Amino acid sequence: MEGVEDAATMINLANTPPPPFLNKTYDMVDDPSTNAVVSWSNGNNSFVVWNVPEFSRDLLPKYFKHNNFSSFVRQLNTYGFRKVDPDRWEFANEGFLRGQKHLLKTVSRRKPAHANSHQQAPPQVQSSQVGACVEVGNLGLEEEVERLKNDKNNLMQELVRLRQKQQATDNQLHNVGQRVQGMEQRQQQMMSFLAKAMHSPGFLSQLVQHQNENNRRITGSNKKRRSQGKKMKFWLGSLAPNLLMDKW
């Protein structure tokens, strides 16, 4: 009887397709173009999520139409996957092996803890399974919270940088505005001067006469200073011999 039951079980497994979740997860891990984000481990008996933010942003919506990494981890738990490395997101299952996709049929979904069953697993086994599930699920939540904190910090830093840049731009605009205002004032003064000169023919002659008088005063002052300098040199020249005679 046991041999017949085992044969029937094998036939059922052969005819039953793997769950869509396992198929999609296998295809996602097996895709060589995404090895920088998720890939098989060196032993080919587990897979590693290398970049959780990019995995959640790009791959999960493509394969599962959501971007919640914690939900993905909980789904792995329901199929018996376990986290095998405490320092990274590496998951393993005896029926999830590289190059052996047909073994996915051997991976079965765990029944809920409250489901009725004629064959109850020993209490120790049940508690260990639930503990493993809770452990991985909590790690997923902690990872999600940490990612959200990092995103918040990055956004705050970007906001501060943009505010500083805006302040510098405002200062530059203020300086440019002051220079433009000064140029406009000088332009208005020039236009006023030209308008006055055009409407008053005697204005230019008065301006030229005033400028000539200033030039004559400056020239006369320079001549006076030169004349005084010559007189001083003559006086010093005549005084020097007398001083020498008195000394001797």
Side-chain angles (χ1 to χ4, degrees):
M1 289 295 295
E2 292 181 358
V4 175
E5 292 178 355
D6 293 340
T9 302
M10 294 298 295
I11 293 174
N12 289 333
L13 288 175
N15 295 330
T16 304
F21 173 80
L22 296 179
N23 268 329
K24 293 179 180 180
T25 302
Y26 188 96
D27 293 339
M28 179 174 58
V29 174
D30 202 47
D31 185 359
S33 65
T34 61
N35 283 348
V37 181
V38 60
S39 69
W40 294 103
S41 64
N42 291 333
N44 295 325
N45 58 352
S46 62
F47 71 93
V48 184
V49 179
W50 302 105
N51 190 326
V52 173
E54 190 171 347
F55 179 85
S56 302
R57 185 185 66 243
D58 299 334
L59 295 185
L60 285 181
K62 178 180 178 181
Y63 286 91
F64 301 102
K65 297 182 180 181
H66 71 82
N67 61 354
N68 194 321
F69 183 70
S70 299
S71 297
F72 175 74
V73 173
R74 287 194 292 270
Q75 192 77 351
L76 290 176
N77 290 332
T78 62
Y79 285 97
F81 283 80
R82 62 188 185 280
K83 191 171 185 291
V84 297
D85 192 323
D87 298 326
R88 63 184 185 183
W89 294 102
E90 182 176 354
F91 305 95
N93 187 296
E94 290 77 5
F96 197 87
L97 304 177
R98 186 176 188 178
Q100 302 185 48
K101 192 175 182 180
H102 62 279
L103 293 180
L104 295 179
K105 297 179 180 180
T106 65
V107 180
S108 59
R109 187 183 181 92
R110 288 177 174 175
K111 295 181 180 180
H114 59 273
N116 295 326
S117 176
H118 296 290
Q119 295 181 353
Q120 295 290 339
Q124 293 181 351
V125 175
Q126 287 185 346
S127 62
S128 63
Q129 291 176 349
V130 174
C133 179
V134 172
E135 179 184 359
V136 179
N138 287 338
L139 288 173
L141 291 175
E142 292 175 0
E143 178 72 16
E144 184 71 14
V145 171
E146 188 66 24
R147 185 180 66 83
L148 292 174
K149 288 181 179 179
N150 292 334
D151 290 344
K152 180 182 177 182
N153 292 335
N154 292 335
L155 290 175
M156 292 298 295
Q157 293 176 2
E158 182 67 15
L159 179 60
V160 171
R161 187 183 67 81
L162 290 176
R163 285 180 177 175
Q164 293 175 348
K165 186 176 181 180
Q166 181 182 5
Q167 183 65 33
T169 303
D170 291 342
N171 293 335
Q172 292 178 355
L173 290 176
H174 179 71
N175 294 334
V176 171
Q178 288 183 334
R179 290 197 296 270
V180 171
Q181 185 176 2
M183 293 174 62
E184 290 177 349
Q185 290 178 352
R186 289 193 295 272
Q187 184 179 8
Q188 290 177 358
Q189 292 174 356
M190 181 62 67
M191 295 297 295
S192 177
F193 173 80
L194 293 176
K196 188 174 182 181
M198 292 178 63
H199 291 84
S200 178
F203 175 74
L204 287 177
S205 60
Q206 292 177 1
L207 180 63
V208 172
Q209 183 179 359
H210 179 72
Q211 183 66 33
N212 291 335
E213 290 177 356
N214 288 337
N215 292 336
R216 285 196 295 271
R217 284 197 298 269
I218 294 173
T219 303
S221 177
N222 292 336
K223 290 181 178 179
K224 185 177 181 180
R225 284 197 297 272
R226 287 196 295 271
S227 177
Q228 290 177 351
K230 290 180 180 180
K231 291 180 180 180
M232 180 63 69
K233 290 180 180 179
F234 177 78
W235 181 77
L236 290 174
S238 62
L239 183 63
N242 295 330
L243 291 175
L244 293 173
M245 293 295 294
D246 292 342
K247 182 177 181 180
W248 289 102

